[in-house]
Amino acid sequence: AEEVGGGDKEVVREYFNSTGFERWRKIYGETDEVNRVQKDIRLGHAKTVENTMLMLTEDRSLAGVTVCDAGCGTGLLSIPLAKEGAIVSASDISAAMVAEAEMKAKAQLPSENLPKFEVNDLESLTGKYDTVVCLDVLIHYPQNKADGMIAHLASLAEKRVILSFAPKTFYYDILKRIGELFPGPSKATRAYLHSEADVERALGKVGWKISKRGLTTTQFYFSRLIEAVPM
Ligand code: SAM
């Protein structure tokens, strides 16, 4: 049934508005209603967010800097960005995710610092931002779609692009361990891993080069973090 309507993107949208929303809302939340695997992923992801904030703030202040958080999920990055004074545009393909993110942001931020939230798939995003960030979204893109996705994100950025993705080096581990946390009838086939060289090549084709790298691995979470700047 999930295949009706066709296309990976529809499957992903449907998943993150239903069962995927419930699962990931818990993983990205604070409550104890998570199992051991989910808790481990929560911790790993928190490190990715922390490392992203470090990359973004180590050379300069974020005050007044425009940041696009593409595929913002429950707002775990958008909120700290806004706390640092960034002007945040946060979007996600899932309306449920955007609603959750907006609710969380309103509880933590003064109204003048609130990110601008929008339900949108990242290919439809327009505009120019100082920085574009897209964390843990590439896992939903097969390699033949990843290049276009990366090129589009880079086209929206003036100074920096930050991406995180599950690296292919951990292929076996990831699919075996967390395949069930991804959409589609055959869950494992719906999680796409990417080689760093492929991501680097995709960025290079549109004139961007990698300037910083990080890696977070826990037992069940593997994420390569890269910052790219214009060549
Ligand atoms: N970036 C957030 C974070 O790190 O906290 C959320 C990561 S979550 C694993 C993946 C998110 O990507 C989901 O909220 C999902 O709805 C969103 N997503 C997947 N495909 C998308 C697309 N084509 N455009 C926008 N968002 C997308």
Side-chain angles (χ1 to χ4, degrees):
E2 276 177 298
E3 290 284 35
V4 175
D8 271 314
K9 204 185 272 188
E10 284 315 311
V11 175
V12 169
R13 188 200 315 274
E14 159 67 18
Y15 173 77
F16 280 107
N17 274 319
S18 55
T19 45
F21 171 68
E22 288 309 326
R23 270 184 197 152
W24 287 95
R25 187 183 57 81
K26 278 187 213 154
I27 292 173
Y28 290 155
E30 288 113 50
T31 65
D32 291 334
E33 46 176 353
V34 283
N35 62 35
R36 190 175 65 87
V37 175
Q38 293 170 332
K39 189 162 206 171
D40 177 88
I41 294 171
R42 177 190 284 176
L43 292 174
H45 175 266
K47 282 191 201 164
T48 292
V49 170
E50 199 183 307
N51 290 337
T52 302
M53 290 304 294
L54 283 175
M55 274 188 180
L56 284 169
T57 54
E58 69 191 358
D59 342 1
R60 59 178 186 151
S61 154
L62 279 176
V65 173
T66 52
V67 182
C68 166
D69 183 8
C72 65
T74 62
L76 284 178
L77 177 72
S78 292
I79 294 167
L81 285 172
K83 282 186 179 160
E84 289 296 317
I87 300 163
V88 182
S89 298
S91 56
D92 197 284
I93 197 170
S94 155
M97 285 289 186
V98 172
E100 178 80 5
E102 192 159 17
M103 185 203 53
K104 292 201 161 188
K106 282 185 173 154
Q108 293 182 51
L109 293 163
S111 55
E112 62 274 17
N113 287 21
L114 277 181
K116 191 170 144 268
F117 288 102
E118 187 188 6
V119 180
N120 213 344
D121 66 278
L122 60 87
E123 283 75 16
S124 308
L125 294 174
T126 56
K128 282 283 180 191
Y129 307 88
D130 178 288
T131 299
V132 174
V133 189
C134 187
L135 298 187
D136 294 0
V137 178
L138 258 173
I139 193 145
H140 305 299
Y141 284 74
Q143 189 51 48
N144 67 348
K145 301 251 172 70
D147 280 26
M149 182 266 210
I150 291 169
H152 184 64
L153 291 177
S155 78
L156 305 172
E158 276 161 346
K159 300 211 172 122
R160 266 186 310 208
V161 172
I162 293 191
L163 291 173
S164 73
F165 56 94
K168 232 176 200 162
T169 19
F170 296 97
Y171 185 78
Y172 178 82
D173 285 346
I174 297 176
L175 291 192
K176 288 289 169 267
R177 295 190 212 179
I178 60 161
E180 62 159 49
L181 287 167
F182 293 92
S186 165
K187 310 297 184 192
T189 61
R190 295 287 181 173
Y192 301 102
L193 297 309
H194 297 275
S195 86
E196 202 173 332
D198 287 341
V199 171
E200 193 157 16
R201 207 173 302 119
L203 285 162
K205 274 202 282 188
V206 291
W208 289 69
K209 61 166 195 263
I210 295 180
S211 45
K212 290 179 194 164
R213 293 168 213 262
L215 179 70
T216 299
T217 71
T218 62
Q219 210 180 346
F220 298 99
Y221 176 92
F222 308 85
S223 193
R224 167 63 80 194
L225 180 66
I226 54 130
E227 178 198 74
V229 295
M231 275 176 184

PDB file of all heavy atoms in Angstrom, residues 12 16 28 45 71-73 92-94 97 120-123 135-137 140-141, ligand 1:
ATOM      1  N   VAL A  12       8.431   8.253   1.651  1.00  0.00           N
ATOM      2  CA  VAL A  12       9.106   8.918   2.766  1.00  0.00           C
ATOM      3  C   VAL A  12       8.156   9.900   3.461  1.00  0.00           C
ATOM      4  O   VAL A  12       8.041   9.912   4.687  1.00  0.00           O
ATOM      5  CB  VAL A  12      10.384   9.647   2.272  1.00  0.00           C
ATOM      6  CG1 VAL A  12      10.948  10.562   3.342  1.00  0.00           C
ATOM      7  CG2 VAL A  12      11.435   8.636   1.835  1.00  0.00           C
ATOM      8  N   PHE A  16       6.943   9.561   7.345  1.00  0.00           N
ATOM      9  CA  PHE A  16       7.251  10.562   8.376  1.00  0.00           C
ATOM     10  C   PHE A  16       6.028  11.359   8.830  1.00  0.00           C
ATOM     11  O   PHE A  16       6.125  12.194   9.729  1.00  0.00           O
ATOM     12  CB  PHE A  16       8.377  11.496   7.924  1.00  0.00           C
ATOM     13  CG  PHE A  16       9.740  10.882   8.096  1.00  0.00           C
ATOM     14  CD1 PHE A  16      10.470  10.457   7.002  1.00  0.00           C
ATOM     15  CD2 PHE A  16      10.283  10.703   9.368  1.00  0.00           C
ATOM     16  CE1 PHE A  16      11.731   9.879   7.162  1.00  0.00           C
ATOM     17  CE2 PHE A  16      11.536  10.118   9.538  1.00  0.00           C
ATOM     18  CZ  PHE A  16      12.250   9.710   8.423  1.00  0.00           C
ATOM     19  N   TYR A  28      13.970  11.368  18.973  1.00  0.00           N
ATOM     20  CA  TYR A  28      14.463  12.744  19.074  1.00  0.00           C
ATOM     21  C   TYR A  28      13.907  13.481  20.290  1.00  0.00           C
ATOM     22  O   TYR A  28      14.153  14.666  20.464  1.00  0.00           O
ATOM     23  CB  TYR A  28      14.116  13.525  17.802  1.00  0.00           C
ATOM     24  CG  TYR A  28      14.895  13.102  16.556  1.00  0.00           C
ATOM     25  CD1 TYR A  28      14.370  13.312  15.289  1.00  0.00           C
ATOM     26  CD2 TYR A  28      16.158  12.530  16.654  1.00  0.00           C
ATOM     27  CE1 TYR A  28      15.077  12.951  14.141  1.00  0.00           C
ATOM     28  CE2 TYR A  28      16.862  12.166  15.517  1.00  0.00           C
ATOM     29  CZ  TYR A  28      16.326  12.374  14.267  1.00  0.00           C
ATOM     30  OH  TYR A  28      17.033  12.032  13.144  1.00  0.00           O
ATOM     31  N   HIS A  45      22.847  10.931  17.454  1.00  0.00           N
ATOM     32  CA  HIS A  45      22.326  12.092  16.732  1.00  0.00           C
ATOM     33  C   HIS A  45      22.602  13.394  17.487  1.00  0.00           C
ATOM     34  O   HIS A  45      22.945  14.410  16.890  1.00  0.00           O
ATOM     35  CB  HIS A  45      20.825  11.916  16.478  1.00  0.00           C
ATOM     36  CG  HIS A  45      20.188  13.103  15.849  1.00  0.00           C
ATOM     37  ND1 HIS A  45      19.572  14.083  16.586  1.00  0.00           N
ATOM     38  CD2 HIS A  45      20.119  13.503  14.553  1.00  0.00           C
ATOM     39  CE1 HIS A  45      19.140  15.021  15.766  1.00  0.00           C
ATOM     40  NE2 HIS A  45      19.452  14.694  14.528  1.00  0.00           N
ATOM     41  N   GLY A  71      14.987  19.698   5.903  1.00  0.00           N
ATOM     42  CA  GLY A  71      14.652  18.409   6.522  1.00  0.00           C
ATOM     43  C   GLY A  71      14.842  18.523   8.021  1.00  0.00           C
ATOM     44  O   GLY A  71      15.558  17.739   8.632  1.00  0.00           O
ATOM     45  N   CYS A  72      14.169  19.510   8.613  1.00  0.00           N
ATOM     46  CA  CYS A  72      14.464  19.914  10.006  1.00  0.00           C
ATOM     47  C   CYS A  72      13.976  18.932  11.063  1.00  0.00           C
ATOM     48  O   CYS A  72      14.359  19.040  12.226  1.00  0.00           O
ATOM     49  CB  CYS A  72      13.872  21.293  10.291  1.00  0.00           C
ATOM     50  SG  CYS A  72      12.055  21.315  10.237  1.00  0.00           S
ATOM     51  N   GLY A  73      13.138  17.961  10.679  1.00  0.00           N
ATOM     52  CA  GLY A  73      12.635  17.012  11.678  1.00  0.00           C
ATOM     53  C   GLY A  73      11.935  17.739  12.815  1.00  0.00           C
ATOM     54  O   GLY A  73      11.146  18.662  12.583  1.00  0.00           O
ATOM     55  N   ASP A  92      10.525  20.836   6.269  1.00  0.00           N
ATOM     56  CA  ASP A  92      10.551  19.373   6.241  1.00  0.00           C
ATOM     57  C   ASP A  92       9.421  18.910   5.336  1.00  0.00           C
ATOM     58  O   ASP A  92       8.395  19.574   5.226  1.00  0.00           O
ATOM     59  CB  ASP A  92      10.369  18.808   7.659  1.00  0.00           C
ATOM     60  CG  ASP A  92      10.798  17.354   7.776  1.00  0.00           C
ATOM     61  OD1 ASP A  92      10.036  16.468   7.315  1.00  0.00           O
ATOM     62  OD2 ASP A  92      11.898  17.077   8.303  1.00  0.00           O
ATOM     63  N   ILE A  93       9.617  17.764   4.719  1.00  0.00           N
ATOM     64  CA  ILE A  93       8.594  17.197   3.844  1.00  0.00           C
ATOM     65  C   ILE A  93       7.374  16.741   4.641  1.00  0.00           C
ATOM     66  O   ILE A  93       6.275  16.638   4.104  1.00  0.00           O
ATOM     67  CB  ILE A  93       9.210  16.014   3.030  1.00  0.00           C
ATOM     68  CG1 ILE A  93       8.348  15.667   1.826  1.00  0.00           C
ATOM     69  CG2 ILE A  93       9.451  14.797   3.915  1.00  0.00           C
ATOM     70  CD1 ILE A  93       9.024  14.686   0.871  1.00  0.00           C
ATOM     71  N   SER A  94       7.568  16.481   5.931  1.00  0.00           N
ATOM     72  CA  SER A  94       6.488  15.976   6.785  1.00  0.00           C
ATOM     73  C   SER A  94       5.831  17.105   7.583  1.00  0.00           C
ATOM     74  O   SER A  94       6.482  17.769   8.390  1.00  0.00           O
ATOM     75  CB  SER A  94       7.061  14.915   7.735  1.00  0.00           C
ATOM     76  OG  SER A  94       6.271  14.806   8.903  1.00  0.00           O
ATOM     77  N   MET A  97       6.175  16.515  11.341  1.00  0.00           N
ATOM     78  CA  MET A  97       7.479  16.926  11.872  1.00  0.00           C
ATOM     79  C   MET A  97       7.539  18.445  12.060  1.00  0.00           C
ATOM     80  O   MET A  97       8.000  18.932  13.100  1.00  0.00           O
ATOM     81  CB  MET A  97       8.608  16.508  10.922  1.00  0.00           C
ATOM     82  CG  MET A  97       8.932  15.043  10.955  1.00  0.00           C
ATOM     83  SD  MET A  97       9.757  14.606  12.512  1.00  0.00           S
ATOM     84  CE  MET A  97      10.157  12.896  12.182  1.00  0.00           C
ATOM     85  N   ASN A 120       7.808  21.593   3.265  1.00  0.00           N
ATOM     86  CA  ASN A 120       8.321  21.642   1.900  1.00  0.00           C
ATOM     87  C   ASN A 120       9.377  20.570   1.707  1.00  0.00           C
ATOM     88  O   ASN A 120      10.181  20.327   2.605  1.00  0.00           O
ATOM     89  CB  ASN A 120       8.960  23.025   1.658  1.00  0.00           C
ATOM     90  CG  ASN A 120       8.798  23.501   0.232  1.00  0.00           C
ATOM     91  OD1 ASN A 120       8.471  22.708  -0.654  1.00  0.00           O
ATOM     92  ND2 ASN A 120       9.037  24.777   0.019  1.00  0.00           N
ATOM     93  N   ASP A 121       9.357  19.939   0.543  1.00  0.00           N
ATOM     94  CA  ASP A 121      10.474  19.030   0.287  1.00  0.00           C
ATOM     95  C   ASP A 121      11.650  19.862  -0.196  1.00  0.00           C
ATOM     96  O   ASP A 121      11.475  20.935  -0.772  1.00  0.00           O
ATOM     97  CB  ASP A 121      10.092  17.911  -0.687  1.00  0.00           C
ATOM     98  CG  ASP A 121       9.801  18.432  -2.057  1.00  0.00           C
ATOM     99  OD1 ASP A 121       8.673  18.893  -2.269  1.00  0.00           O
ATOM    100  OD2 ASP A 121      10.711  18.407  -2.897  1.00  0.00           O
ATOM    101  N   LEU A 122      12.826  19.394   0.075  1.00  0.00           N
ATOM    102  CA  LEU A 122      13.974  20.295  -0.088  1.00  0.00           C
ATOM    103  C   LEU A 122      14.249  20.670  -1.540  1.00  0.00           C
ATOM    104  O   LEU A 122      14.799  21.733  -1.816  1.00  0.00           O
ATOM    105  CB  LEU A 122      15.206  19.759   0.630  1.00  0.00           C
ATOM    106  CG  LEU A 122      15.794  18.415   0.253  1.00  0.00           C
ATOM    107  CD1 LEU A 122      16.766  18.568  -0.889  1.00  0.00           C
ATOM    108  CD2 LEU A 122      16.507  17.855   1.470  1.00  0.00           C
ATOM    109  N   GLU A 123      13.814  19.845  -2.484  1.00  0.00           N
ATOM    110  CA  GLU A 123      13.975  20.204  -3.899  1.00  0.00           C
ATOM    111  C   GLU A 123      13.153  21.439  -4.265  1.00  0.00           C
ATOM    112  O   GLU A 123      13.427  22.099  -5.256  1.00  0.00           O
ATOM    113  CB  GLU A 123      13.549  19.059  -4.814  1.00  0.00           C
ATOM    114  CG  GLU A 123      14.547  17.930  -4.915  1.00  0.00           C
ATOM    115  CD  GLU A 123      14.583  17.039  -3.701  1.00  0.00           C
ATOM    116  OE1 GLU A 123      13.636  17.093  -2.884  1.00  0.00           O
ATOM    117  OE2 GLU A 123      15.564  16.299  -3.544  1.00  0.00           O
ATOM    118  N   LEU A 135      20.873  17.651   7.890  1.00  0.00           N
ATOM    119  CA  LEU A 135      21.407  16.564   8.715  1.00  0.00           C
ATOM    120  C   LEU A 135      20.557  15.292   8.607  1.00  0.00           C
ATOM    121  O   LEU A 135      19.342  15.319   8.795  1.00  0.00           O
ATOM    122  CB  LEU A 135      21.450  16.974  10.190  1.00  0.00           C
ATOM    123  CG  LEU A 135      22.341  18.163  10.573  1.00  0.00           C
ATOM    124  CD1 LEU A 135      22.384  18.303  12.097  1.00  0.00           C
ATOM    125  CD2 LEU A 135      23.739  18.055   9.999  1.00  0.00           C
ATOM    126  N   ASP A 136      21.239  14.205   8.324  1.00  0.00           N
ATOM    127  CA  ASP A 136      20.629  12.871   8.349  1.00  0.00           C
ATOM    128  C   ASP A 136      19.380  12.750   7.466  1.00  0.00           C
ATOM    129  O   ASP A 136      18.417  12.070   7.831  1.00  0.00           O
ATOM    130  CB  ASP A 136      20.323  12.454   9.805  1.00  0.00           C
ATOM    131  CG  ASP A 136      21.594  12.253  10.637  1.00  0.00           C
ATOM    132  OD1 ASP A 136      22.702  12.438  10.094  1.00  0.00           O
ATOM    133  OD2 ASP A 136      21.481  11.911  11.826  1.00  0.00           O
ATOM    134  N   VAL A 137      19.415  13.391   6.323  1.00  0.00           N
ATOM    135  CA  VAL A 137      18.307  13.299   5.366  1.00  0.00           C
ATOM    136  C   VAL A 137      18.728  12.481   4.136  1.00  0.00           C
ATOM    137  O   VAL A 137      17.927  11.773   3.535  1.00  0.00           O
ATOM    138  CB  VAL A 137      17.817  14.708   4.932  1.00  0.00           C
ATOM    139  CG1 VAL A 137      16.687  14.607   3.905  1.00  0.00           C
ATOM    140  CG2 VAL A 137      17.347  15.511   6.140  1.00  0.00           C
ATOM    141  N   HIS A 140      17.635   8.974   2.942  1.00  0.00           N
ATOM    142  CA  HIS A 140      16.398   8.706   2.193  1.00  0.00           C
ATOM    143  C   HIS A 140      16.580   8.882   0.688  1.00  0.00           C
ATOM    144  O   HIS A 140      15.618   8.804  -0.062  1.00  0.00           O
ATOM    145  CB  HIS A 140      15.274   9.602   2.709  1.00  0.00           C
ATOM    146  CG  HIS A 140      15.072   9.464   4.188  1.00  0.00           C
ATOM    147  ND1 HIS A 140      14.726   8.271   4.767  1.00  0.00           N
ATOM    148  CD2 HIS A 140      15.239  10.341   5.204  1.00  0.00           C
ATOM    149  CE1 HIS A 140      14.662   8.444   6.086  1.00  0.00           C
ATOM    150  NE2 HIS A 140      14.975   9.681   6.371  1.00  0.00           N
ATOM    151  N   TYR A 141      17.811   9.142   0.253  1.00  0.00           N
ATOM    152  CA  TYR A 141      18.076   9.368  -1.165  1.00  0.00           C
ATOM    153  C   TYR A 141      18.967   8.288  -1.763  1.00  0.00           C
ATOM    154  O   TYR A 141      20.109   8.119  -1.333  1.00  0.00           O
ATOM    155  CB  TYR A 141      18.782  10.715  -1.368  1.00  0.00           C
ATOM    156  CG  TYR A 141      17.841  11.888  -1.240  1.00  0.00           C
ATOM    157  CD1 TYR A 141      17.376  12.288   0.000  1.00  0.00           C
ATOM    158  CD2 TYR A 141      17.412  12.576  -2.369  1.00  0.00           C
ATOM    159  CE1 TYR A 141      16.498  13.354   0.126  1.00  0.00           C
ATOM    160  CE2 TYR A 141      16.541  13.641  -2.261  1.00  0.00           C
ATOM    161  CZ  TYR A 141      16.083  14.025  -1.011  1.00  0.00           C
ATOM    162  OH  TYR A 141      15.225  15.076  -0.901  1.00  0.00           O
TER     163      TYR A 141
HETATM  164  N1  SAM B   1      17.481  16.952  10.201  1.00  0.00           N
HETATM  165  C1  SAM B   1      16.706  16.515  11.360  1.00  0.00           C
HETATM  166  C2  SAM B   1      17.634  16.232  12.514  1.00  0.00           C
HETATM  167  O1  SAM B   1      18.808  15.901  12.275  1.00  0.00           O
HETATM  168  O2  SAM B   1      17.201  16.313  13.674  1.00  0.00           O
HETATM  169  C3  SAM B   1      15.813  15.312  11.070  1.00  0.00           C
HETATM  170  C4  SAM B   1      16.490  14.037  10.552  1.00  0.00           C
HETATM  171  S1  SAM B   1      15.324  12.717  10.234  1.00  0.00           S
HETATM  172  C5  SAM B   1      16.290  11.237  10.284  1.00  0.00           C
HETATM  173  C6  SAM B   1      15.038  12.854   8.512  1.00  0.00           C
HETATM  174  C7  SAM B   1      14.033  13.947   8.164  1.00  0.00           C
HETATM  175  O3  SAM B   1      14.128  14.224   6.772  1.00  0.00           O
HETATM  176  C8  SAM B   1      12.581  13.601   8.432  1.00  0.00           C
HETATM  177  O4  SAM B   1      12.001  14.586   9.255  1.00  0.00           O
HETATM  178  C9  SAM B   1      11.959  13.570   7.045  1.00  0.00           C
HETATM  179  O5  SAM B   1      10.597  13.956   7.032  1.00  0.00           O
HETATM  180  C10 SAM B   1      12.852  14.525   6.280  1.00  0.00           C
HETATM  181  N2  SAM B   1      12.893  14.344   4.821  1.00  0.00           N
HETATM  182  C11 SAM B   1      13.076  13.209   4.123  1.00  0.00           C
HETATM  183  N3  SAM B   1      13.085  13.448   2.807  1.00  0.00           N
HETATM  184  C12 SAM B   1      12.915  14.787   2.658  1.00  0.00           C
HETATM  185  C13 SAM B   1      12.837  15.654   1.527  1.00  0.00           C
HETATM  186  N4  SAM B   1      12.913  15.203   0.288  1.00  0.00           N
HETATM  187  N5  SAM B   1      12.671  16.967   1.746  1.00  0.00           N
HETATM  188  C14 SAM B   1      12.575  17.456   3.008  1.00  0.00           C
HETATM  189  N6  SAM B   1      12.625  16.684   4.114  1.00  0.00           N
HETATM  190  C15 SAM B   1      12.802  15.364   3.944  1.00  0.00           C
END
